Every structure is written in structure tokens, then in C-alpha cells.
Amino acid sequence: MASSEHPSAGNSGPSFGPRFFFSPSGWPYLLVPFIPAAIALEVTHASDGLIFFAAAAGVIPTAALMGRATEEVAAKSGPGIGGLLNVTFGNAPELIIALFALQAGLHEVVKASVIGSILGNILLVMGAAMLAGGLVGGRSHQTFNRTAANVQSLMLFLAVAAMVMPAIFELVEGQGLPGIDQERIDFDGTVEDLSLAVAIVLIATYAIGLLFSLRTHRSLFNPHQEGEEGHDDTWGWSIRTSVIALAVAGIAVGGMSEILVGSIEGASESIGLSEFFIGVIVVAIVGNAAEHWVAVLVAIKDKMDLSVNIAIGSSAQVALFVAPALVLTSFFLGPGPMPLVFNGFEISALALGVLIAYQVTNEGESNWFEGLQLLALYAILGLTFFYA
């Protein structure tokens, strides 16, 4: 489960000048002009490629604001509610994007973005964090809580095992696995029922996991709270300001997501990228860009417990909550139920990524070369997806 603490800018509040916007915490807000640009391009019916790139860039600052507002509310809500807020809104931007894609009937894009989010966290984010923590931080190795990392890695591993079972069922008993960019809504109903049952089990496991990480074993996942204030990196916003910012960010993320999803099909044709690649790489990275940067930033500061927690915990949340929530929602939204039937590329990449992530976190320490290897694997998978 995700931790109930996230660092950002200094604890005395930001000074919104040039130095802030070019600081590690302020760079996402440099992309704010892309929000009105995406709206203008959409209204003027510009090319889908331009609309897609503007909307993708516009999602990043809105997601960053949502994360900041969540942190500010969590800081004043106590560790229990604060932790619940963080894990609830941790993947909200990508969930919102997926809901719009679900409504548009882009099931394969939705599933690709789920797989891409998991792979992006455990390979791209964790790899970049380990690489930056070692090279930029100038450390031969870094350590983190092995027990907490193993608990989350095991949860992710078991969740992924459950997620691929409907695909195995369809491979053995049904029509076989779907192909790249092959939208299938002609399943026989059995695999949809199986996916629904799996989704219910995963969400129940997620709820129990929250109890485990936020109450019965809180000290394991949030050791910072034992002897000092847990939120020393907030900007000092009031609850009212934070709630207003959260509402504004939610509306902005929804607007950018609708524009983004509406341009995917046209952008796929105009820029020569498959919808599968856009979902598994581009959408997955855009939805979590701000959170990804936080993981790298804290690794440079030698806070590897938090960095690994963000990477593995976010992946576990996607597998245990986001994916099953989308399956449940598909029964009421879109052209029909979305079964958890992934294509062969997705299943293979997911299995390899989770196995390697479990192995890397098993020792409780990391070095920059391990990070480089994780990034190399992510690059190889990305190239494979590109040529698929």
C-alpha cells in the first residue's frame, strides 16, 4: 500500500517566482499553458496529433496540483485518514483518463494503460530512482526497508497472478488472446463473469491491505511517524484551500482527459503510433509524471524507503484497485463489459517486470547499476511495443 507521506517543496510554503518554477517541485507547473492550448486546439478542430500532445502535457500540471492538494489535506487529517486519502487519490489522474477511454469503448487502450502504469512504476520509476540516487547522490549503494518492500512486492505479484487468470482461461477455453489494437466485445460472457469475480476479490484484498498498512502495521510502512511529524514538507494550505484546489484539479484533469482520449484514434493515425503503444507508454507516463518525479527526487535525497514505496505501492494500487474498479465500471459505462483479457505482449511484459522487481527489492538495498538495468529492460519492452 502507498505510504501516507509524500515530500514536495519546502515546509514554509512556496514562493511562486521564477526560482520556484525551475525548482524540482515547480517544473510540472511550467506546463500550465498547455491547458488552454489544448482547449483552443480542440475548439478550433486542429489536427488530432497536436490536440493529443497538448492535452497530454496539460494533464501533468493538473495531476501535480491534485497530488499537492491531497497532501495538504492529508497533513491536517491525521495519519489514518491522511494515508487513506493518499492511496485513494494516488492514481486518480490515470483512473480518470481510463474512465473516459472506457466510455469511448477503447478497451484495449484502457488495459494497455493499466499494464503500462504497473511497468512504468516498477521499471521506469524505480530504475530512474536507483540510478539517480546512486549517481547524482554520489552513493555506492542505498538501503530501504526490506520487509515493507517485500510485503508490497508480494501483494503486487499475487494481484498480477489473479489479473492474468481470465486471459489464461480465454486462451484455453475461449477464442484465444486478443491481438494488438484489436477491440473485442464479442466474448461469450463466461470470461466477463470470471473477470468480475476476480475484480471483486482484488478490491476486497485491497481493502484488507489498507487495514494492514494503515492500522495494524502502520509503523512498518510509515516509520517516519513514530518519532516526528509525518508531514514536514507541506506548503501550509488550509483545509478549505486544499479542498478547493482538489476540486479544481479534478475538474481540470477530467477536462484534459476527455480531450486526450477523444484525440487518441486520430493521433494514432496521424503520428504513426499504434493505440496500444499510446496506451501502454504515453498515457501511462503522462498520468503519473508528477508522482514519478517525486520518487526520483526523494531517492536523490537518500529517502529510498519512500521512493521504493511510491514505485511498488503505486503499482500494487493499480493492480488491486484501479484495474478491478475499471472492470466493475465497464458493466455500467461504455459499449459493454471489459474482461481482464490481456494480449500476449502485455502478459509477458507484466510477468517479467514483476518477477524482476521482486528480485531487486528482495535484498533491501540498491545501486545505480541495478537502476540502469531496470531502465534498459523498460526500453527493450518499449521498443517491442513500438514494433508490435
Side-chain angles (χ1 to χ4, degrees):
M1 294 293 102
S3 170
S4 62
E5 57 170 330
H6 263 265
S8 282
N11 54 19
S12 60
S15 176
F16 294 103
R19 292 182 63 184
F20 166 75
F21 289 104
F22 288 97
S23 70
S25 298
W27 77 264
Y29 303 103
L30 289 171
L31 302 177
V32 167
F34 282 98
I35 298 175
I39 297 174
L41 290 171
E42 173 73 6
V43 170
T44 57
H45 304 289
S47 71
D48 286 320
L50 286 176
I51 295 174
F52 176 80
F53 283 116
V59 167
I60 295 175
T62 60
L65 179 60
M66 178 173 283
R68 166 49 44 204
T70 302
E71 291 300 326
E72 295 295 325
V73 175
K76 294 178 173 60
S77 304
I81 297 177
L84 182 60
L85 285 170
N86 273 317
V87 297
T88 301
F89 288 98
N91 288 288
E94 66 180 307
L95 180 59
I96 293 172
I97 294 173
L99 287 174
F100 278 102
L102 200 63
Q103 184 179 29
L106 301 176
H107 286 181
E108 296 308 315
V109 172
V110 174
K111 288 185 284 187
S113 68
V114 168
I115 299 300
S117 181
I118 295 175
L119 294 175
N121 278 294
I122 59 180
L123 297 178
L124 176 62
V125 177
M126 193 159 64
M130 291 178 176
L131 180 65
L135 290 184
V136 180
R139 302 175 185 91
S140 61
H141 70 281
Q142 294 177 283
T143 60
F144 49 88
N145 189 316
R146 175 184 176 183
T147 303
N150 280 348
V151 168
Q152 298 204 81
S153 296
L154 182 59
M155 290 176 64
L156 174 61
F157 193 90
L158 295 176
V160 167
M163 285 174 60
V164 301
M165 287 310 299
I168 295 176
F169 175 87
E170 188 66 11
L171 182 63
V172 176
E173 299 287 345
Q175 307 173 46
L177 301 180
I180 300 297
D181 290 341
Q182 178 184 354
E183 297 289 348
R184 291 174 56 184
I185 55 175
D186 58 342
F187 294 95
D188 61 7
T190 304
V191 72
E192 284 89 345
D193 294 339
L194 174 60
S195 298
L196 177 62
V198 169
I200 293 173
V201 173
L202 287 176
I203 289 181
T205 303
Y206 176 73
I208 297 172
L210 290 180
L211 176 67
F212 179 81
S213 62
L214 297 178
R215 182 167 295 275
T216 65
H217 289 69
R218 189 174 64 194
S219 61
L220 176 64
F221 293 91
N222 301 280
H224 186 64
Q225 296 173 359
E226 291 301 298
E228 53 185 313
E229 183 65 28
H231 289 272
D232 56 359
D233 290 313
T234 60
W235 290 355
W237 288 358
S238 66
I239 289 289
R240 180 181 178 182
T241 300
S242 302
V243 171
I244 292 174
L246 187 60
V248 171
I251 294 172
V253 169
M256 288 296 99
S257 299
E258 184 174 12
I259 295 174
L260 178 71
V261 170
S263 64
I264 284 180
E265 291 185 274
S268 174
E269 296 178 2
S270 63
I271 63 181
L273 294 176
S274 68
E275 292 181 19
F276 169 65
F277 182 84
I278 289 175
V280 77
I281 299 295
V282 181
V283 173
I285 291 177
V286 165
N288 278 316
E291 185 181 38
H292 290 176
W293 178 246
V294 170
V296 175
L297 184 63
V298 296
I300 295 174
K301 297 178 179 179
D302 202 23
K303 298 180 180 180
M304 283 303 294
D305 274 319
L306 182 54
S307 184
V308 172
N309 193 13
I310 292 173
I312 304 296
S314 184
S315 293
Q317 186 186 35
V318 171
L320 288 167
F321 175 71
V322 175
L326 290 170
V327 171
L328 293 175
T329 306
S330 71
F331 280 80
F332 310 98
L333 185 68
M338 181 187 73
L340 281 176
V341 180
F342 300 103
N343 63 51
F345 290 104
E346 292 167 333
I347 293 175
S348 301
L350 195 58
L352 290 172
V354 173
L355 281 171
I356 291 173
Y358 184 80
Q359 181 64 33
V360 168
T361 58
N362 191 46
E363 296 179 354
E365 66 176 33
S366 65
N367 56 65
W368 67 265
F369 186 61
E370 286 181 335
L372 181 64
Q373 292 178 96
L374 291 177
L375 291 175
L377 176 59
Y378 186 77
I380 292 171
L381 294 177
L383 289 170
T384 304
F385 297 152
F386 177 78
Y387 285 105

